Amino acid sequence: MVLDVWKQINNKQFTPIYLLYGTEGFLINETKQLLINNVLAEDESDFNLSTYDLEETPIEAALEDAETFPFMGDKRLIFLHNPSFLTSEKTKGKTEHNLAKLESYLKEPSPYSIIVFAAPYEKLDDRKKITKELKKKASVLEAKKLGEQELKVWIRERAAQNGVQIEEDAVQLMLTLAGTNLFMLTGEIDKLALYADEEKLIDAEAVDKLVARSLEQNIFTLVDKVVHRKIDEALRIYYDLLKQNEEPIKILSILTGQFRLIYQVKELSRRGYGQQQTAGYLKVHPFRVKLAAGQAQLFGDEELSRIMKLLAEADYEMKTGGMNKEMLIEMFLFRLHDHALHKQTK
């Protein structure tokens, strides 16, 4: 697991070869930075840190560097980006690699170098001999998107690194408000830790007060306010977004995306799909599916079809310049509210 590899690095327990692969760039970048901070002294980076793009540089050139003694230090740290020869993906790079040289190096790595393969690919081709050999010899970190429970562990661990604790309801609220982007979550936790410096505890009140809402989260809340007949609060969120210079066409696009997700989640649920299956099918984070499923219960099929039609009309009007862009979304919100009100008075 990611945290285990990080713990070893922080304890100066290094391996000669690391393999970081996956599409969660934050985890790869954080691991690279941890290695830099722990392997090299501050004044060593200019001499003992090297980076190669393997789409442009043959592997043997990087290995020659690894076999060179470090200058004014104990270790050389070498990052190898885009090792496409580990995958079945077609790439733009036309560089030829001497993989026999790499196989030989894996059998007897240099004792004074640490090589880090950074592979931003969802999957590696385990049928390839070189992939199998590398996985056997390397310390492997799969940088995949974290699930809801993993994100909760991540938030608690990040808070602990900052010397504070975070209450369970605050963890849940953090995910709801800030979303699942690790870059954003990290920044928010670090900020909250500074705020909680004296009490050493982050509670839900602090999260609600200090965490910046993503645009997507503001739209989610806006939709929630409308379906619960709180049109004044929905409009307040919308006007705040305009004050933040968010473009109406972007707001409309995310509104449409949110309702499309609600529609899709409702339909797939009817077909017997679970949340994980739905997330995989729609290629969205399971936590977003969970939130959309809650809102889907508030809409009937006919109502959702009508809403999608209203959004399509607003999109057409916005793109053809038929009406003031800000007013188009206002009108949509009022229509949505009127329909919800009519539905409840039936």
Side-chain angles (χ1 to χ4, degrees):
M1 188 173 168
V2 174
L3 295 173
D4 293 333
V5 174
W6 287 3
K7 186 176 180 180
Q8 290 167 2
I9 294 172
N10 280 321
N11 289 335
K12 312 291 185 185
Q13 297 170 348
F14 308 122
T15 54
I17 302 165
Y18 288 86
L19 171 59
L20 319 177
Y21 78 95
T23 55
E24 183 53 84
F26 177 87
L27 296 178
I28 290 178
N29 289 336
E30 281 285 289
T31 308
K32 285 166 57 183
Q33 193 58 52
L34 267 183
L35 283 164
I36 291 171
N37 294 343
N38 284 280
V39 173
L40 304 174
E42 284 187 26
D43 56 351
E44 287 182 33
S45 293
D46 290 341
F47 309 108
N48 294 326
L49 176 63
S50 303
T51 301
Y52 294 93
D53 184 345
L54 296 180
E55 289 187 351
E56 300 175 358
T57 306
I59 185 69
E60 54 268 30
L63 294 177
E64 285 177 18
D65 193 359
E67 290 167 343
T68 304
F69 282 105
F71 182 71
M72 295 176 63
D74 297 326
K75 295 280 187 183
R76 294 184 63 76
L77 182 58
I78 301 167
F79 293 118
L80 306 182
H81 294 278
N82 304 315
S84 56
F85 50 77
L86 299 176
T87 76
S88 55
E89 295 183 19
K90 293 182 180 179
T91 60
K92 297 176 183 177
K94 297 180 180 179
T95 305
E96 294 291 329
H97 297 283
N98 185 346
L99 296 183
K101 175 86 174 174
L102 176 56
E103 287 177 27
S104 177
Y105 184 88
L106 291 176
K107 291 174 183 175
E108 195 173 345
S110 167
Y112 36 79
S113 291
I114 293 174
I115 287 183
V116 183
F117 289 87
Y121 316 115
E122 185 174 357
K123 293 180 181 178
L124 301 183
D125 191 344
D126 290 325
R127 297 169 298 178
K128 291 186 174 183
K129 181 183 177 183
I130 192 62
T131 306
K132 290 177 183 176
E133 288 300 311
L134 183 56
K135 280 191 169 183
K136 281 181 189 175
K137 300 291 185 180
S139 180
V140 180
L141 184 149
E142 184 182 359
K144 63 180 180 179
K145 299 290 183 185
L146 302 183
E148 183 181 352
Q149 293 308 314
E150 292 171 311
L151 282 167
K152 288 180 177 179
V153 171
W154 164 269
I155 290 171
R156 287 193 288 268
E157 289 282 346
R158 186 73 190 191
Q161 287 174 27
N162 282 288
V164 299
Q165 289 184 302
I166 180 167
E167 293 181 349
E168 197 56 37
D169 55 347
V171 172
Q172 183 67 40
L173 185 59
M174 170 82 74
L175 277 176
T176 303
L177 296 182
T180 58
N181 183 293
L182 286 177
F183 284 100
M184 182 175 288
L185 281 174
T186 301
E188 294 299 333
I189 296 165
D190 293 351
K191 177 176 71 179
L192 284 162
L194 288 173
Y195 176 81
D197 187 48
E198 289 185 12
E199 294 82 3
K200 303 297 181 186
L201 181 68
I202 299 171
D203 58 18
E205 185 181 351
V207 171
D208 188 50
K209 185 190 298 183
L210 296 176
V211 168
R213 275 70 164 166
S214 64
L215 177 57
E216 288 78 7
Q217 175 53 36
N218 274 318
I219 297 295
F220 176 86
T221 306
L222 185 151
V223 171
D224 218 45
K225 297 299 184 187
V226 172
V227 297
H228 287 99
R229 294 174 57 194
K230 297 177 180 177
I231 189 65
D232 54 337
E233 293 181 34
L235 287 169
R236 193 177 305 127
I237 293 170
Y238 173 55
Y239 296 143
D240 284 344
L241 291 175
L242 292 179
K243 286 177 187 175
Q244 294 164 26
N245 295 318
E246 295 289 357
E247 289 291 332
I249 195 165
K250 186 176 180 182
I251 296 172
L252 182 64
S253 173
I254 296 175
L255 256 176
T256 303
Q258 179 62 28
F259 275 106
R260 186 184 296 115
L261 181 62
I262 292 169
Y263 184 90
Q264 291 170 324
V265 167
K266 190 175 183 68
E267 177 59 29
L268 289 172
S269 176
R270 184 187 293 114
R271 295 183 193 178
Y273 281 61
Q275 285 185 11
Q276 290 291 338
Q277 284 178 296
T278 301
Y281 184 80
L282 298 178
K283 293 182 169 54
V284 298
H285 197 282
F287 190 70
R288 283 193 63 204
V289 171
K290 178 182 176 180
L291 295 178
Q295 289 188 326
Q297 296 175 10
L298 303 169
F299 295 96
D301 294 343
E302 186 181 334
E303 187 178 13
L304 279 173
S305 296
R306 177 179 173 274
I307 289 169
M308 295 306 294
K309 183 180 178 183
L310 287 174
L311 286 165
E313 290 172 357
D315 181 68
Y316 176 80
E317 290 287 342
M318 197 170 283
K319 288 175 179 175
T320 56
M323 188 183 291
N324 179 283
K325 292 179 181 179
E326 288 83 358
M327 283 186 63
L328 276 168
I329 296 179
E330 278 187 18
M331 284 183 61
F332 167 76
L333 293 176
F334 278 118
R335 285 178 178 176
L336 198 59
H337 173 66
D338 290 345
H339 187 74
L341 189 61
H342 176 69
K343 184 176 155 190
Q344 293 207 9
T345 55
K346 273 187 175 183

